[in-house]
Amino acid sequence: MFVQVCLYFYCKCLWRCLKFVARKLTGRCELQRICYNTKPGASRTMKIESSLRGSKSKLLQTSVSVHPDAIEKTIDDIMDLKKINPDINPQLGVSLQACLLQIVGYRNLTAEVEKLRREPYDSENPQHEEMLLKLWKCLKPDSPLEARISKQWCEIGFQGDDPKTDFRGMGLLGLYNLLYFAERDTAIALQVLSDSLQPKYREVTKKDLSQFSKAEWERKKFDKAIGYSFAIVGINITDLAYNLLVSGALKTHFYNVAPEAPTLAHFQQTFCYLMHEFHKFWIEEDPPDIMEFNRVREKFHKQILKQLQNPDMALCPHFAASESLINM
């Protein structure tokens, strides 16, 4: 433990010395070097964020958590602190503003998503009920819902007669995401729902014939469905997207696709992408039954995390649900 502490302080002091030498040699502070030598996007913003958080200056440390309306003044204060002439370095202020908008925006988005996750579904709230009924209409346009409490809900992947019980884990966030998917990517959502309900044929092998009689095989060769319930998986993928967000893993993606502050719409279009990709991943994995869900989900989670380690990664820049956001 003592050696680790000594090594930590040694590296910290060494790093500060290296930054001091670099400034003397280049005539630029660390923020300038990052902005001038790193291309826009996640690479630049994450380096700026790390530099600000690791600074010994209280002003720089707190700049990553200011209100969006205070960003311009904060940049002016940083320029004064670093003795940087904005007339000689006009691009620096523009670059810092873009980075801070993304950093502060990510923090605010996390808070907004957390608020939705904590808000429970309330069947007495007309807005909540309206969203739920709209979800049904989007996914089952030709099948009127016979009653609010109905076994029909199982047709779109809820577990029982009343979907409100399935929203407990993710609160309103689960419903927001499912409805966004059904409204913005209706064709894909309907295809995924249809696939999840289709029987999956299994070929008879010699091993199977040796284990089962012909009559038994006829009963077993058709699975109940491809293997999962659409709505329940949507809520589960909402949980996956939520964890990617709060862990900071989605910074790579959002800093590359959102030129300014990432919004709830960016989070929801990412959810749409994850739903589509998980569906393809599930089919490729071809698990024997739903009992394999957690294993497949964890493997999919690791694959997404690996992709997000690439600073140039943008999960879904050309995904259908994100088209309106790309042109913002």
Side-chain angles (χ1 to χ4, degrees):
M1 179 66 74
F2 177 75
V3 173
Q4 289 179 333
V5 171
C6 290
L7 184 61
Y8 169 77
F9 282 107
Y10 172 77
C11 291
K12 192 171 183 179
C13 292
L14 180 61
W15 176 244
R16 293 195 184 282
C17 290
L18 289 173
K19 289 204 297 183
F20 176 79
V21 172
R23 174 150 195 173
K24 290 298 182 182
L25 291 175
T26 63
R28 294 174 176 175
C29 68
E30 185 177 34
L31 294 177
Q32 287 175 294
R33 295 196 300 274
I34 293 172
C35 287
Y36 292 147
N37 300 329
T38 310
K39 64 182 181 180
S43 296
R44 177 188 289 178
T45 302
M46 293 177 80
K47 286 181 180 179
I48 290 291
E49 185 174 11
S50 177
S51 177
L52 294 173
R53 290 186 185 279
S55 174
K56 60 183 179 181
S57 165
K58 192 69 175 177
L59 171 64
L60 269 60
Q61 290 176 10
T62 58
S63 64
V64 297
S65 56
V66 299
H67 190 276
D69 294 340
I71 286 179
E72 286 190 23
K73 183 181 182 306
T74 300
I75 291 173
D76 290 339
D77 293 340
I78 291 174
M79 302 281 268
D80 288 340
L81 177 68
K82 293 293 184 178
K83 296 181 175 57
I84 300 172
N85 188 332
D87 296 328
I88 300 176
N89 301 272
Q91 188 57 41
L92 179 62
V94 175
S95 299
L96 283 177
Q97 183 176 20
C99 291
L100 279 181
L101 279 170
Q102 289 184 319
I103 295 166
V104 171
Y106 191 95
R107 185 203 62 187
N108 292 342
L109 172 60
T110 303
E112 184 179 5
V113 167
E114 180 63 30
K115 183 179 179 181
L116 285 174
R117 188 188 73 85
R118 289 178 176 272
E119 184 174 354
Y121 183 91
D122 182 3
S123 57
E124 300 298 320
N125 187 316
Q127 183 183 5
H128 295 186
E129 287 288 285
E130 182 183 353
M131 291 174 63
L132 182 60
L133 294 176
K134 188 182 292 185
L135 175 65
W136 174 268
K137 290 178 182 177
C138 288
L139 296 175
K140 288 286 185 175
D142 301 322
S143 301
L145 191 63
E146 296 174 359
R148 167 62 180 80
I149 308 297
S150 169
K151 290 188 181 298
Q152 284 179 283
W153 290 111
C154 296
E155 295 176 21
I156 60 172
F158 286 103
Q159 291 180 323
D161 298 351
D162 191 349
K164 73 175 185 180
T165 59
D166 293 325
F167 292 120
R168 289 174 182 168
M170 284 286 107
L172 271 190
L173 184 63
L175 178 55
Y176 266 70
N177 279 352
L178 282 170
L179 182 56
Y180 187 94
F181 187 31
E183 285 188 313
R184 297 300 184 95
D185 279 295
T186 307
I188 293 178
L190 289 175
Q191 184 62 56
V192 172
L193 173 61
S194 176
D195 288 349
S196 71
L197 297 172
Q198 295 301 316
K200 187 172 79 174
Y201 181 76
R202 291 189 176 184
E203 296 291 340
V204 182
T205 64
K206 290 183 179 180
K207 182 178 180 181
D208 292 326
L209 288 173
S210 66
Q211 292 178 338
F212 305 113
S213 67
K214 184 176 180 180
E216 287 176 320
W217 177 253
E218 287 301 318
R219 292 196 299 269
K220 289 178 178 291
K221 72 177 180 179
F222 286 101
D223 288 342
K224 180 180 178 182
I226 231 171
Y228 65 73
S229 301
F230 176 87
I232 295 301
V233 167
I235 294 170
N236 203 285
I237 296 300
T238 293
D239 177 71
L240 188 150
Y242 165 79
N243 282 291
L244 289 173
L245 179 73
V246 298
S247 70
L250 279 179
K251 286 181 179 180
T252 304
H253 167 64
F254 285 144
Y255 291 168
N256 282 326
V257 300
E260 294 185 345
T263 64
L264 181 61
H266 286 103
F267 177 77
Q268 291 177 306
Q269 58 100 16
T270 303
F271 163 79
C272 293
Y273 170 82
L274 292 173
M275 273 292 286
H276 190 212
E277 289 300 302
F278 178 80
H279 181 64
K280 293 191 295 183
F281 188 80
W282 177 269
I283 293 173
E284 290 169 2
E285 285 291 303
D286 193 25
D289 52 49
I290 194 62
M291 300 304 292
E292 290 288 294
F293 181 81
N294 287 337
R295 178 190 66 79
V296 176
R297 179 190 183 278
E298 184 59 28
K299 188 174 180 180
F300 177 71
H301 186 195
K302 289 179 179 178
Q303 175 178 291
I304 296 296
L305 282 174
K306 185 176 181 180
Q307 292 175 3
L308 290 171
Q309 289 175 358
N310 178 359
D312 296 324
M313 185 64 191
L315 288 176
C316 45
H318 305 301
F319 194 61
S322 64
E323 287 178 355
S324 61
L325 297 175
I326 294 171
N327 298 320
M328 287 176 61

